[in-house]
Amino acid sequence: MEDQARSSCEQATSCLSANLAEEPLSPKILASLRSLVVTPSTPDPTISSIFETLSRSLQLSRDPIVLHYTLKLLSDLAFHRPSLSQPVSDSVRSHSLLSSESTRLAVESLDVLASISDRAGSSVELDDRSFVSLCFCPSVSVRAWLLRNAERFHIGPHVLVTLFFGFTKDPYPYVRKIALDGLVGLSKTGVIEDSGMIQGCYSRAVHLLQDMEDCVRSAAVRTVSAWGLMLIASNPERKLYWSDDLFVKLCSMGRDMSMEVRVEAFDSLGKIENVSEDVLLQTLSKRVLGITKEMGSLGQCPAEEFEISASSVAGVFVHGLEDEFFEVRKSACHSLRTLTMMSAEFSGKVLNLLMDVLNDDSVVVRLEALQTMLHMTTHGLLKVQGTHMHMFLGTLMDSSTSIRSASRKILKLVKLSSMESFRLSVGGLIENLERHPQDEPEIFCVMFHMGRNHGKFVVSIINEMSEEIEPTSEGKLDFDRERVAALLVLAISAPLSQKQNAFGIPPRIFSYAVTLLGRISVALTDVVDQDALLAYLFQSSRSTGFSASDFNFEANNTVETLFQKQKGASNILQSWATTEALEVASPLVRSQLGVHNELMKSMNLILEKVKDIWLLMQSGFAKEVLGSLRSFKEEVATFNSESVGSVGVVAFTMQYLRIMKQLAKVWEHFLPARNPRSSGMGGLDVILGKLDMRLRELRSRFTGFSLEQEVQILELILLTCIFRLCKVDICCHLATLEKLSATMSRVESILILGSFEPSNFVSEVGQLLCRIGSSSSGVSCNPFLFKDLVQYFSHKQFVFCGRLDHIVAELVFPNNDSENPLRFVPCLPVGIPCEIVLHNVSSENKLWLRMTMDDESTQFVFLDLNLFGGSEEVRNFTYVAPFYRTPNAASFTLRICIGMECLFEDFLSSKRYGGPKRELTYLCQERKVHLSMMNLCRVDRFSSRNHFQRNKTEELVAAVAKSIDSFAESGKNVL
């Protein structure tokens, strides 16, 4: 095959050489040359010949069209053949296009040089005079390109300031916008220090806030903010004056007609670090306040100008938080973080507004409001009143995991002033735990920290609810109940409060807490390990009264220090862990300690081996890696997963190994020195599709991940998107880019909630997305930018630290096979009796029955879980699924399975009318149902024909009626 391709290339080259000898280059010939340039199998001598031909064309041709295509082809040549980048650059530099009368050709030449330099990490040097001369050409597109790419050429900053300043008056709005963006870029360099020049640029940007075009006003807001902050920094003696002036100017754009302008205005308001308190308070009142008239800065303005300024500021944040677009409301919430630091009175009034925002329709806005409140809590500015508690605690019942997590993080840090507020908070957390058991680790952690911060309140609560914790009169322990478990965690934290000793907590409470040792230790992994926690509970359960001083602690020591010292008490640990503890503990404790962690340790050991073969994968030893993964899967298959809590761990490990297998196959395609195997590998698109499906299943079908574990999974999804974007011929570029951006947003929100730093890979992906979002020069289409990101990815071992629940379904069709088919009447509905068992499916999940016929036509039936009983752990029910598309055939087969919508998918699917709106992940294997048409043709030889027809007709009517009755209720679930 390679010889045949080489022969074809040689024939094409000789043909082209003959044509070139007879006639000059034409667009048709250049198109033929391009097919050779982009073909990887084209021999090097042919490429060299093409390069010489194109270089000669630059020197000899005067046709602008030919020169345009020649430059484009040279750019493609440098892109596909990096070894020719420098010769191409030298050839373009040597010809006279840069000094020709055609500015368009000059700019195209610069574009080729700049693209080559970008890939090499260098820059193109161009003298200031030539650049300025090109900028004043009559072509709008040329002016726009030069201003937008000015930073790629070493042009002096003062020359650029003059150019950008002048072109802010260009008659074309797009050029004005680019000029303003250029001024913003210059403000970040810090080169311009002249106060007069800074004020001039600031004034020009303020003037353009009234421009007729939305894009210009949006750019003007960014420019006013950037140069206004420079003006504040360069005038320390008038810092407050210019801060207030900038604040007022930006507030005036908070009610602009354009949503993008309003978002930019509120984003910029959050960057100002010093504003008069009176001005701040005015933003929260739509009525002009009397005290505003005494403002020191605005008081220097004439009366007319003062009225305009005051009306611009009045109620701007009230309007922003009530805006019709969620982007504006989100931006307004975010900008309040910095401003609340300036005034306690302002922060108190802002809290009232934020409490209303917690009822917003948008999850993004609610989360942003909670993040602002968390920022206030961190700096001691959140003073929660009794009137706020019910509205705030309502977020603990939110359907969004991120909202609930953000609310709990606030409760973890906030100082509650009253017993009633504390009681409501504890009740809200317990209700959160009862409705969403998957949140248990984080809720236990919040309970523990709240107990440390409010020791006195804890003792009072435990005394009130002690009857719920104690065993029943029959001696039954009820510690598995969510409410009792939460109270036990709260109780054991009280002795660690700096203001409370343990005399109010009975020692037996600590022995009760030992029954939950595994669950509590998982929740407190950031504070203590399991051995230290066990020692603490043991010693506390044996003491009749103690305080923090009994552990040789000073009053200002943290709980981390306590557990670290307890960890060193080896004599306590040994006695407890070997004999005495097991004698004192209940059978429930012995059972839990006996089976706990053994299987997780084995799975962690296997995952550690997966991490060890990562270097082999990167080096291209795919065969060896796949062999190792195969042996790991066989090892996992030997483990018994029937014990409680182990099913999810084993299933997750198996799925993780499948993902690593697909990742190894993908990685081989991106190695420069090796070719992917031609057999058994499949096309790259097929492998990436399998990898996407496996990752979607991993993220959808397992619950109980910590934030850090979720980030690890999301990093694999980011890597898969990067692999897709690395391909030049990708056909779904925009969809993949949107998925990459959505996944990155989820990662960023988790990093905000968590207390860990992003990896280098995540940081680089975020920076590239920022460049793509702010660029209009085709950055998003360059596969080399994405290919560079792959080297930043580093595989981290996935470590089990708690229980994972596996979402799975069982589907059975009783008494149905090819010998005993269900009966149906053509073109009439038929009911399919199903026996369904669901494991770990919550009421938030949306389940569908997918029913596919022989001809691949599909019908979806929605399973409304509210209609069936059972708990979230196990739901067992019988359901008659209606199928409406019965064919006019003697028999047919249905393939049925249960799918679950991936609720984390942000993009809705429109390919299935009336079915699921998002992609499905399937919870069981596809099952076959056999159906056969009712036979009306067999006649009883002893019955008359009329009697037969009458009986069969009655039988048919009865059968149809019974079938319709059987799924009358369930039919409404078909969409």
Side-chain angles (χ1 to χ4, degrees):
M1 292 296 291
E2 293 182 358
D3 294 339
Q4 183 178 358
R6 187 179 295 108
S7 175
S8 300
C9 289
E10 291 174 354
Q11 293 177 7
T13 304
S14 61
C15 180
L16 285 171
S17 300
N19 289 334
L20 291 173
E22 298 176 0
E23 57 180 345
L25 286 177
S26 64
K28 181 178 180 180
I29 295 177
L30 288 170
S32 301
L33 289 176
R34 188 178 188 280
S35 64
L36 295 174
V37 168
V38 300
T39 302
S41 60
T42 304
D44 290 340
T46 303
I47 294 295
S48 300
S49 175
I50 292 174
F51 170 66
E52 293 173 1
T53 301
L54 295 175
S55 299
R56 187 168 61 252
S57 174
L58 287 182
Q59 301 293 336
L60 302 178
S61 179
R62 292 294 179 267
D63 186 346
I65 297 178
V66 172
L67 289 173
H68 165 75
Y69 283 110
T70 301
L71 287 170
K72 181 66 174 69
L73 197 52
L74 282 170
S75 178
D76 292 339
L77 191 63
F79 178 81
H80 292 281
R81 304 283 174 155
S83 60
L84 290 178
S85 294
Q86 189 58 45
V88 169
S89 180
D90 295 338
S91 177
V92 174
R93 288 177 186 275
S94 63
H95 75 77
S96 58
L97 288 182
L98 292 178
S99 58
S100 67
E101 295 181 357
S102 175
T103 55
R104 185 176 296 278
L105 287 176
V107 168
E108 289 178 358
S109 301
L110 287 175
D111 192 13
V112 174
L113 294 175
S115 299
I116 295 174
S117 298
D118 289 344
R119 288 193 289 271
S122 58
S123 58
V124 180
E125 295 187 3
L126 183 66
D127 62 282
D128 296 351
R129 183 175 180 180
S130 299
F131 184 81
V132 173
S133 176
L134 289 172
C135 284
F136 282 96
C137 75
S139 172
V140 178
S141 60
V142 169
R143 285 203 308 277
W145 188 91
L146 288 167
L147 293 174
R148 187 172 58 246
N149 294 274
E151 62 181 11
R152 302 169 75 180
F153 312 102
H154 282 287
I155 309 299
H158 289 85
V159 174
L160 289 179
V161 168
T162 305
L163 277 175
F164 291 144
F165 190 90
F167 280 108
T168 55
K169 290 189 174 181
D170 194 276
Y172 291 91
Y174 189 59
V175 177
R176 298 199 298 274
K177 173 193 177 299
I178 294 174
L180 287 167
D181 288 339
L183 286 176
V184 173
L186 277 177
S187 69
K188 299 176 182 178
T189 62
V191 177
I192 308 301
E193 297 180 352
D194 182 74
S195 180
M197 185 176 295
I198 294 174
Q199 188 170 349
C201 292
Y202 174 73
S203 300
R204 174 59 61 85
V206 169
H207 177 73
L208 287 174
L209 291 176
Q210 309 303 320
D211 196 276
M212 296 295 293
E213 298 293 331
D214 294 349
C215 65
V216 178
R217 295 200 305 279
S218 181
V221 170
R222 293 192 296 271
T223 311
V224 167
S225 174
W227 287 84
L229 294 175
M230 289 180 64
L231 190 59
I232 294 169
S234 63
N235 290 273
E237 67 281 356
R238 303 190 68 192
K239 185 175 182 178
L240 184 60
Y241 172 83
W242 285 116
S243 293
D244 287 348
D245 185 76
L246 173 60
F247 190 83
V248 171
K249 296 295 190 300
L250 294 174
C251 283
S252 67
M253 307 304 292
R255 286 188 284 269
D256 192 89
M257 294 298 293
S258 168
M259 180 270 289
E260 289 79 8
V261 175
R262 299 198 298 276
V263 170
E264 289 289 350
F266 284 111
D267 285 346
S268 300
L269 285 172
K271 299 175 183 178
I272 304 176
E273 298 179 350
N274 190 19
V275 184
S276 298
E277 185 178 42
D278 296 332
V279 180
L280 285 175
L281 294 175
Q282 182 63 77
T283 61
L284 304 180
S285 174
K286 297 180 181 180
R287 179 177 59 86
V288 176
L289 303 175
I291 57 174
T292 311
K293 300 179 181 179
E294 302 175 3
M295 290 189 297
S297 57
L298 297 182
Q300 302 175 19
C301 303
E304 231 175 88
E305 187 177 341
F306 164 77
E307 292 296 336
I308 296 174
S309 300
S311 61
S312 299
V313 176
V316 65
F317 275 108
V318 178
H319 288 285
L321 296 174
E322 295 175 350
D323 197 276
E324 60 179 316
F325 292 97
F326 80 90
E327 294 91 344
V328 180
R329 303 195 299 274
K330 176 179 179 292
S331 178
C333 285
H334 187 273
S335 63
L336 286 170
R337 295 187 192 181
T338 305
L339 302 178
T340 52
M341 302 288 294
M342 304 177 193
S343 166
E345 183 180 356
F346 178 74
S347 64
K349 293 186 177 181
V350 164
L351 183 59
N352 295 327
L353 294 178
L354 291 177
M355 287 297 173
D356 292 333
V357 178
L358 296 181
N359 289 324
D360 196 278
D361 294 335
S362 170
V363 174
V364 175
V365 178
R366 298 201 301 274
L367 181 59
E368 196 65 46
L370 288 169
Q371 293 299 334
T372 300
M373 293 168 63
L374 177 60
H375 185 270
M376 296 168 64
T377 305
T378 305
H379 293 85
L381 297 172
L382 190 71
K383 308 298 182 185
V384 182
Q385 305 299 324
T387 55
H388 299 150
M389 289 305 299
H390 289 286
M391 190 173 297
F392 171 71
L393 294 175
T395 57
L396 293 173
M397 306 303 123
D398 199 281
S399 59
S400 169
T401 303
S402 300
I403 296 293
R404 300 195 304 271
S405 182
S407 303
R408 291 191 294 266
K409 201 157 191 177
I410 295 172
L411 287 175
K412 185 177 179 180
L413 300 176
V414 72
K415 303 290 185 181
L416 299 173
S417 57
S418 68
M419 179 64 189
E420 183 60 28
S421 297
F422 183 79
R423 183 181 287 105
L424 288 173
S425 300
V426 171
L429 286 169
I430 292 175
E431 188 176 357
N432 177 190
L433 181 60
E434 291 172 342
R435 290 195 183 185
H436 303 282
Q438 68 272 21
D439 296 347
E440 179 182 283
E442 191 172 348
I443 293 174
F444 280 3
C445 184
V446 175
M447 284 284 198
F448 190 84
H449 284 274
M450 282 182 62
R452 291 176 55 199
N453 297 333
H454 306 85
K456 184 178 179 181
F457 293 161
V458 171
V459 173
S460 179
I461 287 282
I462 297 302
N463 289 333
E464 292 177 6
M465 303 180 178
S466 58
E467 292 183 0
E468 298 184 42
I469 300 176
E470 296 292 341
T472 63
S473 57
E474 295 82 11
K476 181 181 178 182
L477 301 176
D478 204 12
F479 302 150
D480 284 340
R481 280 182 53 208
E482 289 85 356
R483 181 179 181 85
V484 175
L487 291 175
L488 285 173
V489 174
L490 186 67
I492 66 173
S493 65
L496 305 177
S497 172
Q498 297 177 6
K499 299 181 180 180
Q500 181 67 30
N501 59 36
F503 286 107
I505 305 295
R508 61 182 179 277
I509 296 293
F510 297 91
S511 64
Y512 298 160
V514 176
T515 64
L516 305 176
L517 178 65
R519 292 162 64 183
I520 298 176
S521 63
V522 168
L524 303 181
T525 51
D526 61 331
V527 177
V528 59
D529 64 17
Q530 183 170 317
D531 291 338
L533 177 62
L534 186 60
Y536 165 67
L537 295 177
F538 169 63
Q539 185 157 337
S540 302
S541 66
R542 295 173 61 87
S543 302
T544 56
F546 60 90
S547 65
S549 61
D550 294 322
F551 298 94
N552 298 319
F553 271 84
E554 301 297 334
N556 58 354
N557 280 148
T558 63
V559 70
E560 290 80 359
T561 313
L562 164 64
F563 286 129
Q564 188 63 32
K565 292 186 177 181
Q566 285 295 326
K567 188 176 181 180
S570 58
N571 57 337
I572 298 177
L573 287 176
Q574 290 174 359
S575 63
W576 175 253
T578 55
T579 57
E580 187 172 358
L582 293 178
E583 293 174 0
V584 174
S586 65
L588 177 61
V589 179
R590 293 198 299 270
S591 174
Q592 184 165 345
L593 292 176
V595 298
H596 187 66
N597 281 343
E598 286 304 320
L599 186 135
M600 285 199 300
K601 290 178 181 178
S602 300
M603 295 300 106
N604 282 334
L605 185 60
I606 292 174
L607 294 179
E608 185 178 356
K609 296 177 184 177
V610 173
K611 181 179 182 297
D612 292 339
I613 65 172
W614 180 252
L615 289 177
L616 288 176
M617 186 187 299
Q618 288 181 308
S619 302
F621 296 95
K623 183 177 180 181
E624 292 79 0
V625 170
L626 293 176
S628 298
L629 291 173
R630 192 179 303 112
S631 64
F632 296 160
K633 290 171 64 176
E634 293 173 355
E635 185 178 353
V636 173
T638 63
F639 284 91
N640 180 17
S641 61
E642 295 179 357
S643 59
V644 176
S646 63
V647 177
V649 174
V650 174
F652 177 91
T653 306
M654 189 67 76
Q655 183 73 356
Y656 196 82
L657 293 176
R658 295 188 186 106
I659 289 172
M660 289 298 108
K661 174 184 175 181
Q662 300 302 326
L663 188 59
K665 291 182 178 181
V666 173
W667 204 279
E668 192 176 14
H669 281 263
F670 290 86
L671 293 172
R674 292 173 179 264
N675 293 322
R677 294 176 295 165
S678 58
S679 62
M681 288 288 292
L684 179 59
D685 289 338
V686 175
I687 301 172
L688 285 172
K690 290 182 179 179
L691 184 57
D692 277 333
M693 180 187 67
R694 298 295 188 195
L695 285 169
R696 187 163 59 245
E697 290 178 354
L698 191 74
R699 191 178 175 192
S700 302
R701 297 187 59 186
F702 295 91
T703 60
F705 295 122
S706 66
L707 295 179
E708 194 165 2
Q709 289 171 337
E710 186 174 355
V711 168
Q712 286 182 250
I713 296 172
L714 291 174
E715 283 194 31
L716 291 174
I717 297 175
L718 290 175
L719 181 63
T720 305
C721 294
I722 296 298
F723 278 137
R724 284 192 179 277
L725 294 169
C726 286
K727 302 302 293 179
V728 178
D729 56 346
I730 186 171
C731 60
C732 52
H733 178 89
L734 292 178
T736 305
L737 197 59
E738 289 178 358
K739 181 177 180 180
L740 179 70
S741 179
T743 306
M744 188 63 202
S745 298
R746 173 58 183 162
V747 172
E748 290 173 345
S749 66
I750 294 176
L751 292 175
I752 292 174
L753 295 174
S755 57
F756 47 91
E757 296 296 324
S759 64
N760 292 335
F761 175 67
V762 170
S763 300
E764 293 294 330
V765 173
Q767 293 176 14
L768 180 58
L769 286 176
C770 289
R771 289 176 56 191
I772 293 174
S774 60
S775 172
S776 55
S777 58
V779 174
S780 62
C781 300
N782 191 344
F784 283 96
L785 294 175
F786 296 101
K787 196 168 186 179
D788 292 340
L789 291 177
V790 176
Q791 63 182 338
Y792 289 100
F793 181 81
S794 176
H795 182 270
K796 295 185 288 292
Q797 180 187 350
F798 192 98
V799 179
F800 292 112
C801 56
R803 172 176 173 172
L804 288 182
D805 289 326
H806 187 203
I807 299 177
V808 68
E810 301 172 23
L811 181 61
V812 177
F813 305 102
N815 303 320
N816 178 263
D817 53 36
S818 57
E819 300 296 329
N820 298 289
L822 287 175
R823 299 298 180 180
F824 76 98
V825 178
C827 303
L828 288 179
V830 62
I832 313 294
C834 314
E835 291 183 0
I836 299 175
V837 181
L838 304 177
H839 298 273
N840 302 310
V841 177
S842 71
S843 55
E844 297 178 6
N845 299 126
K846 295 183 178 180
L847 300 189
W848 296 81
L849 279 176
R850 190 191 71 179
M851 312 170 77
T852 306
M853 207 160 46
D854 296 332
D855 60 356
E856 299 301 324
S857 61
T858 301
Q859 173 190 303
F860 290 92
V861 179
F862 179 65
L863 291 177
D864 189 351
L865 298 181
N866 295 323
L867 301 178
F868 311 115
S871 64
E872 291 189 354
E873 291 188 2
V874 179
R875 298 176 190 266
N876 193 336
F877 56 91
T878 300
Y879 179 71
V880 178
F883 184 74
Y884 292 102
R885 303 177 182 178
T886 52
N888 190 8
S891 63
F892 70 99
T893 303
L894 277 180
R895 302 191 307 276
I896 304 179
C897 60
I898 300 176
M900 179 177 67
E901 281 195 48
C902 301
L903 298 181
F904 55 81
E905 292 283 358
D906 294 323
F907 310 111
L908 303 183
S909 173
S910 59
K911 62 184 179 182
R912 293 186 292 261
Y913 174 76
K917 300 302 181 183
R918 294 175 173 84
E919 291 293 334
L920 294 181
T921 181
Y922 293 99
L923 308 183
C924 64
Q925 293 185 348
E926 210 171 45
R927 306 291 184 184
K928 287 185 177 181
V929 178
H930 302 274
L931 296 100
S932 176
M933 184 177 65
M934 289 185 177
N935 191 350
L936 304 180
C937 299
R938 292 184 302 176
V939 183
D940 188 342
R941 68 179 66 183
F942 299 106
S943 302
S944 68
R945 181 177 182 85
N946 292 336
H947 180 69
F948 164 76
Q949 290 180 341
R950 183 172 62 255
N951 289 345
K952 285 299 180 182
T953 301
E954 293 174 354
E955 178 184 341
L956 174 61
V957 172
V960 172
K962 181 179 179 181
S963 177
I964 293 176
D965 289 340
S966 65
F967 56 76
E969 289 298 323
S970 58
K972 62 183 180 182
N973 295 326
V974 182
L975 299 180

